[in-house]
Amino acid sequence: VYQPITDIQNEQITGFEALSRWSHPERGSISPVEFIALAEETDLIIEVGDLVFSRAIELLSQLPQHVFININVSARQLDDDQFLQRVVDKIKQHGIAPRRLKLEITETMVVDFNKAKQWLVKCREIGFLVCADDFGTGHSGMEQLLELDFDVLKVDQVFVRNMFKDDRYKIIIESIADMAKRLNTKLVAEGVEYEKELQVLQKLGFDFGQGYLFGKPMSEEDAANLF
Ligand code: C2E
Ligand code: CA
Ligand code: CA
């Protein structure tokens, strides 16, 4: 399924995040929180990951050129040397510009810093943008953040959710916004559910927003029909 990512300043949908769902014949819809972790324990995540990329790239070929898709990448996919090449082959096949794919990795995935750095350099050479997912909840320091030089920071939902409950969360969001602006990094807010949250994020100069206020995850068909 595909959840809209909205340009926070003009409130137009400009992209999607691909989110996996498993429709099990007996157990119904199984959450990625369950099956992605299981798939990661085996090499199945490689096949699942390839499938997510294939379908997202096919969807991109039906969407206007300015629309992008964000895809979650697992640590094991980073270890697979052939992974990026397979994605490059697929986008060539469909004539898709690489900048229309944004790869999301979490800071907690970065166990081997040098490897992660090499991977990011390779992505940049190809033209893929790389996002730090769940930003603000990881264990990495500021030096790591600077060295990895992400194109986009996706501020974790927890900050938006608590913005009006606890002033300290708002202070952190404001500081992240200031930092991102000065470092020239794009900013996405996750978990935007209420109009009043949107207003604060607009004032803080966020670039993109994602959350139930803008749209829930939807089928490929519905995503294509939005345009
Ligand atoms: P994530 O990457 O942080 O994705 C955002 C999650 O927040 C999604 O849950 C989404 O449905 C949910 N969400 C979006 N807007 C709102 C909102 O306004 N309020 C609330 N409460 N929740 C919102 P989902 O789809 O269950 O995915 C959970 C996690 O599973 C993802 O977290 C991601 O880490 C992982 N995942 C999903 N698909 C894939 C995949 O294809 N590959 C990999 N490696 N991981 C995936
Ligand atoms: Ca994500
Ligand atoms: Ca996230």
Side-chain angles (χ1 to χ4, degrees):
V1 291
Y2 298 85
Q3 184 177 31
I5 297 177
T6 301
D7 179 318
I8 223 155
Q9 301 303 332
N10 66 19
E11 297 178 43
Q12 302 286 311
I13 294 173
T14 55
F16 296 94
E17 178 176 4
L19 294 161
S20 293
R21 296 289 181 269
W22 180 7
S23 313
H24 190 278
E26 281 135 41
R27 294 174 57 197
S29 182
I30 303 176
S31 158
V33 180
E34 283 185 61
F35 72 83
I36 293 290
L38 274 177
E40 276 170 348
E41 285 173 26
T42 67
D43 277 337
L44 266 179
I45 191 63
I46 299 293
E47 275 178 70
V48 173
D50 281 0
L51 182 64
V52 174
F53 271 93
S54 293
R55 293 189 53 170
I57 289 166
E58 265 163 47
L59 176 58
L60 274 176
S61 69
Q62 301 171 49
L63 293 168
Q65 299 278 336
H66 70 276
V67 180
F68 57 81
I69 295 184
N70 283 28
I71 302 186
N72 295 287
V73 176
S74 289
R76 241 179 228 254
Q77 287 170 284
L78 302 194
D79 290 339
D80 176 356
D81 295 331
Q82 298 306 307
F83 158 65
L84 283 177
Q85 191 51 50
R86 288 197 298 275
V87 179
V88 170
D89 291 345
K90 270 175 219 151
I91 60 168
K92 280 200 179 135
Q93 213 180 313
H94 286 83
I96 301 291
R99 57 166 176 77
R100 297 180 68 196
L101 276 184
K102 303 191 191 184
L103 311 191
E104 298 193 1
I105 68 169
T106 61
E107 299 169 79
T108 40
M109 266 169 58
V110 180
V111 188
D112 183 339
F113 175 79
N114 288 323
K115 207 184 222 171
K117 182 141 194 203
Q118 277 170 16
W119 191 84
L120 272 131
V121 167
K122 238 194 256 170
C123 285
R124 213 149 278 141
E125 280 168 10
I126 299 167
F128 295 143
L129 297 175
V130 185
C131 315
D133 199 1
D134 305 339
F135 182 71
T137 61
H139 52 55
S140 65
M142 289 295 153
E143 188 200 4
Q144 174 162 314
L145 180 73
L146 285 177
E147 286 296 321
L148 291 177
D149 195 20
F150 291 101
D151 301 289
V152 185
L153 302 181
K154 282 191 91 172
V155 178
D156 193 78
Q157 319 197 355
V158 78
F159 296 99
V160 171
R161 196 181 307 136
N162 292 309
M163 197 159 67
F164 291 104
K165 294 186 190 125
D166 182 339
D167 239 8
R168 297 174 309 156
Y169 281 86
K170 180 126 179 275
I171 292 167
I172 295 294
I173 283 215
E174 288 166 353
S175 309
I176 293 173
D178 181 50
M179 179 182 80
K181 216 173 288 160
R182 296 169 69 185
L183 291 175
N184 204 16
T185 308
K186 295 274 182 222
L187 263 192
V188 188
E190 287 193 272
V192 185
E193 295 184 357
Y194 302 102
E195 188 65 38
K196 62 175 183 178
E197 295 165 346
L198 169 63
Q199 284 167 9
V200 172
L201 297 165
Q202 281 174 330
K203 263 198 213 111
L204 290 177
F206 270 67
D207 301 282
F208 303 104
Q210 190 179 340
Y212 298 158
L213 178 68
F214 307 115
K216 292 204 166 165
M218 59 182 82
S219 68
E220 275 153 349
E221 208 188 343
D222 289 346
N225 285 338
L226 275 182
F227 293 88

